[in-house]
Structure formats: C-alpha cells, structure tokens
Amino acid sequence: MKVTAPSLAPILRSDAQGRILARLLLDPEASHSFSDLVTWSETSMPTVTREVRRAEQAGLVTSKKIGPVRNVKARVDHPLYDAVRRIILATYGPPIVVAEEFARITGARATMLFGSWAARYLGEPGREPNDIDVLVIGDVDRDEVEEAAERAERRIGKPVTATVRTCSQWGSENETFVQQVKSRPLLFVLGDSEEWSGAAFGEAETGLGDSR
C-alpha cells in the first residue's frame, strides 16, 4: 500500500513516523510501550513496529523488553539527537507541548489546535504553517492563557496564538469565529473531542456562563 507523503515534514516517510518520533524524542527520559505509540500515532501495531525498528537501526531510539512488554525510549547520546529533535519539535511536537502547558489553566474545559497547522497535521496538503493556533474553551483567566502560550512558543520555536471562548460562545450559532473554526479540521489536545465537537453547549448544559 502506498504511504501518503507527510504534510508537515516532507523529509520524513510519513505522518505516523513523525508522531511516533515526537512521542519518543520530546520526552527523552520516558519510555513508551508499543501500545502507547499505536494510540498516540493513531496507526497500527505493524506500522509502529516497523518505524521503531527503523529508528532503532538508525540509533535514534533503543528498546528493552520487560516481561511481555517492549518499551522504547530516545537515545540522547546519538550525535544527531538535538538536530532531529528540533525538526520533530517544530513539526509534530505542538500537540504534546500545548497539552502540557495548557493543562494547568483553571476553568478550561477543552483545548484544541485549529487553523492551518491542525489541518496540515491531520493530512490536509498545503504550505508549512508559520504559526500555531490554539483555542481554549471555558471560563478562564486570559492572562493565564497567554502565559501558557508564551511557554509553549518558547519550547516549540514557533509563534503560538491563543484564543478564548466560553462554553456558551462555543455553542452559539451566532458566533462567526466559532462556526469558522468548527468548519475546519480540529485537533483536541485536552478535553473530550466527541463531547466538544457537538454543535451546542450552553450555560445550562455546562454550568459555566459567559465571563464577559
């Protein structure tokens, strides 16, 4: 079967490879099971097995079997580790980084990536995006959101623009911006995507009102 060329980093074999490497290289102290990598990369076990084997042959990762489970982790002593990590961070790293930096925001019900970067990550062809758009849903402190965006930007190396909408605004059909966001690819990094992909969530359903 022909593998679709990656949308974010043409130097890689596939988007699945980019996601797998992102999981491994961006948290080099952690080890991950093959099952974890299957879930994260949204691909199959044969694909994960193949890509991990290639990365291990190249010396970028190492694997060790503990009981019935084989765990994989990055090799930080590889001479190209820093260079490869920077490429992966700028292309496939934002979901991990944004999830980590925005997880501590009080009152946030969901956080998602939208716009061109999310579209490329999800396979829509086009030019490499220059920035990353983040949308936070909930009754939150906007300064706290901006601080999270600044931290994520420093780690990723690309501008991160954060937008806030309350739960009632997200459910409103009169919000032009919200309707535009919903019409394009969305990548949820925090929150239940099935729940928040729905069209209507008002104050009565969420228990949160408009803070403005």
Side-chain angles (χ1 to χ4, degrees), residues 12-203:
L12 299 178
R13 290 174 50 84
S14 66
D15 286 324
Q17 182 190 42
R19 294 172 187 174
I20 292 166
L21 289 176
R23 189 66 166 172
L24 295 170
L25 300 185
L26 302 190
D27 188 8
E29 298 302 318
S31 60
H32 300 277
S33 68
F34 278 47
S35 296
D36 173 49
L37 296 176
V38 167
T39 301
W40 176 259
S41 62
E42 297 182 340
T43 187
S44 65
M45 182 63 76
T47 297
V48 166
T49 302
R50 181 176 64 250
E51 295 301 345
V52 168
R53 184 171 64 248
R54 287 196 176 104
E56 193 165 19
Q57 289 173 345
L60 290 172
V61 304
T62 183
S63 67
K64 182 179 181 180
K65 192 171 183 179
I66 302 176
V69 178
R70 180 170 291 277
N71 291 320
V72 190
K73 68 181 302 183
R75 277 192 56 190
V76 296
D77 59 340
H78 191 282
L80 294 179
Y81 169 78
D82 288 336
V84 174
R85 185 179 186 276
R86 283 195 295 270
I87 294 172
I88 296 299
L89 180 59
T91 50
Y92 292 91
I96 299 173
V97 175
V98 170
E100 291 176 350
E101 298 298 345
F102 282 72
R104 293 170 284 177
I105 297 176
T106 304
R109 301 292 300 276
T111 301
M112 69 194 78
L113 303 180
F114 69 98
S116 298
W117 194 92
R120 300 296 172 273
Y121 186 87
L122 294 172
E124 184 178 290
R127 285 191 287 181
E128 170 72 15
N130 295 319
D131 58 4
I132 298 158
D133 295 306
V134 180
L135 177 62
V136 179
I137 302 173
D139 189 3
V140 300
D141 184 326
R142 292 172 186 266
D143 289 337
E144 196 175 353
V145 171
E146 288 300 321
E147 290 171 0
E150 290 174 3
R151 292 194 301 269
E153 184 172 313
R154 287 195 295 269
R155 290 179 61 185
I156 296 169
K158 281 189 174 185
V160 175
T161 303
T163 303
V164 174
R165 286 295 184 271
T166 62
C167 299
S168 57
Q169 288 173 326
W170 179 251
S172 173
E173 295 182 357
N174 297 322
E175 269 269 346
T176 303
F177 168 77
V178 168
Q179 297 308 315
Q180 290 175 342
V181 169
K182 289 180 178 179
S183 69
R184 297 291 310 283
L186 295 175
L187 181 63
F188 284 80
V189 296
L190 295 169
D192 188 332
S193 61
E194 292 186 3
E195 175 186 0
W196 291 97
S197 293
F201 286 88
E203 294 180 15

